[in-house]
Amino acid sequence: MNILLLEDDLILSAELCRFLESNNFNCDKIYDGETFLRQIKNNTYDLYLLDINVPKINGLDVCQTIRSFDKNTPIIIISAYGDISDKKDAFTRLADDYLVKPFQFEELLLRINSLLRRKAPSDASDQDIIRVDDLIINKTEQKVYRGGNEITLTLKEFQLLVYLAEAQGRTVSKQQITEHVWEHNFNTNTNTVEVYINFLRKKIDKDFKIKLIHTRSGFGYYLSPL
């Protein structure tokens, strides 16, 4: 199980990670909210631990951003703020639990295990989430997010994007695309595939430095951050 910790107290951060690793978790530690959000674009975690009062982007805003594209991964807020208004704010932003500092590490462990047990039955649905860099495709809900923002696609655009993503970086030909997305419902000599690839590029890549949709001349198309 992989845990990502957002905590700017270097001593507490190190002690928490050592404790979690001694209990068979992998723990990565981040000290500011901006770096934390970059970290989760390219890595998958089973649970997030968020302090509130951290540099750049506070933990509550980080929680809200995560929930804009990820409704399932458990989030525990760990904070010195113990007022009911602070807790209400955290739960309003869809945190799963709230633990006030100072706390016993054993209590945190109990809460982590409880949340992970509740999440376990739905783990099979993870196969319906595809991540490519900061692009997230939710096949069940037919929703697409990039950089935390939802992108609206037509049904065919969505089907084409899913097919490219499921190829996992392999090049797929125009013929393969027509077979899987259009089921031979148009002449492969038309430029329909090129048109839809262009539609996707405008929606998926245009406003981002890293381009994900690529052409391999003479062979086809592939989806990759490289």
Side-chain angles (χ1 to χ4, degrees), residues 46-105:
D46 299 289
L47 184 139
Y48 300 118
L49 293 175
L50 309 178
D51 186 15
I52 293 177
N53 189 21
V54 296
K56 297 185 179 179
I57 302 176
N58 71 60
L60 292 178
D61 289 340
V62 168
C63 178
Q64 186 170 337
T65 299
I66 292 172
R67 286 297 183 240
S68 70
F69 60 84
D70 179 354
K71 307 297 184 185
N72 298 316
T73 303
I75 296 175
I76 299 178
I77 301 294
I78 51 172
S79 174
Y81 301 144
D83 291 345
I84 189 63
S85 60
D86 299 309
K87 296 177 181 179
K88 181 179 179 180
D89 198 3
F91 288 117
T92 298
R93 301 186 195 216
L94 302 182
D96 294 285
D97 204 348
Y98 194 110
L99 195 56
V100 179
K101 299 177 184 176
F103 53 82
Q104 294 186 14
F105 286 5

Side-chain angles (χ1 to χ4, degrees), residues 116-183:
L116 292 177
R117 280 196 301 272
R118 281 185 284 177
K119 177 178 180 289
S122 63
D123 277 350
S125 66
D126 288 348
Q127 64 188 340
D128 292 325
I129 304 295
I130 305 174
R131 297 173 184 264
V132 181
D133 196 68
D134 60 343
L135 176 71
I136 297 175
I137 305 169
N138 186 320
K139 292 169 60 180
T140 301
E141 298 181 2
Q142 294 191 345
K143 291 185 177 181
V144 176
Y145 305 87
R146 186 158 189 201
N149 298 311
E150 185 172 358
I151 298 172
T152 302
L153 300 180
T154 67
L155 177 59
K156 283 302 176 188
E157 289 169 349
F158 181 80
Q159 291 173 337
L160 174 56
L161 182 64
V162 168
Y163 182 61
L164 291 172
E166 289 182 335
Q168 299 181 329
R170 298 188 303 275
T171 301
V172 291
S173 68
K174 182 178 174 181
Q175 179 68 33
Q176 289 173 312
I177 291 172
T178 63
E179 290 176 357
H180 287 85
V181 178
W182 277 272
E183 299 178 350

Side-chain angles (χ1 to χ4, degrees), residues 194-223:
E194 290 91 333
V195 169
Y196 272 82
I197 288 290
N198 191 46
F199 288 160
L200 280 183
R201 281 182 168 140
K202 288 180 179 179
K203 294 183 177 182
I204 300 296
D205 281 344
K206 182 180 178 182
D207 296 327
F208 296 88
K209 182 177 179 180
I210 297 177
K211 308 305 179 186
L212 300 179
I213 302 171
H214 306 280
T215 302
R216 188 181 176 198
S217 184
F219 292 91
Y221 306 94
Y222 65 96
L223 188 71

